[in-house]
Amino acid sequence: IDLDATGRWLFAASYGGGKISVNAIGKDGTVGAVQQLIQTGPNAHAIHADASNRYVLATSLGADQVSAWRFDADKGLLSPNDPPLTQTPAKGGPRHFVWDKAQRYVYLLDELDAALHVFAWDAARGTLKLEQSTTTLPPGFAGKPWAADLHLAPDGRHLYASERTSSTISAFKVDASTGRLQPLGQTPTEKTPRGFAIDSSGRYLIAAGQESHHVALYAIDGATGALGAPQRLAVGKNPNWIEIVELP
């Protein structure tokens, strides 16, 4: 789930239903009835609006597609963009994606082949153009890929991605001029790191180990992007998501 830039609309992607939806949000913060419900390809996995709030992207893991939508923030309605779909590699399983802060690039992580793609983002037209593909798998990996989550550091200099089978977090250096990624290697982490997050200062990364039943806190070296020795905390069974909330 995610909010639009106005905070008036809630987007959701239904993995089981293969649908995306828009709900109104009341002034008291409560979520209203479904405003719009759209059938997509199988296994809709993520949905986010761009910074302009004019375009929305959504992934279909089962169809190997990213759908693009124009968004009317006054009415809370999505309509297909032109082109409406960007096809991704067969059986890759596009899962999560992020824009860079300048809205020049979109980074997309595949679940089923653990590939990481860099797309140029045309902010005027709401379209994607593939620029680079790399991998989040460690050297010599021989298992079944199962990538999970990705996040950019707040300063945009480094990108991180988690892979569950190897239980690692990959780090990449981001080229400021081209958006391309330079692999920096993997850091072993909690078993099955399904979700992680980076705090707004860019100093810390927190990863959830779904099968270790712990979360791990890493200090981030701002110059190199390297993760320090983890501090571990038991949190109960099957943690799978990290959300950092800043309070006034």
Side-chain angles (χ1 to χ4, degrees), residues 126-158:
T127 58
L128 297 167
K129 179 185 177 184
L130 183 63
E131 297 286 343
Q132 182 193 12
S133 295
T134 185
T135 184
T136 62
L137 296 174
F141 179 90
K144 182 179 179 180
W146 200 23
D149 202 5
L150 84 165
H151 294 281
L152 274 167
D155 63 9
R157 296 172 60 189
H158 297 97

Side-chain angles (χ1 to χ4, degrees), residues 192-213:
T192 316
R194 184 166 174 178
F196 70 95
I198 300 172
D199 83 305
S200 62
S201 75
R203 296 173 58 200
Y204 300 103
L205 184 150
I206 306 172
Q210 190 168 14
E211 293 188 81
S212 74
H213 317 304

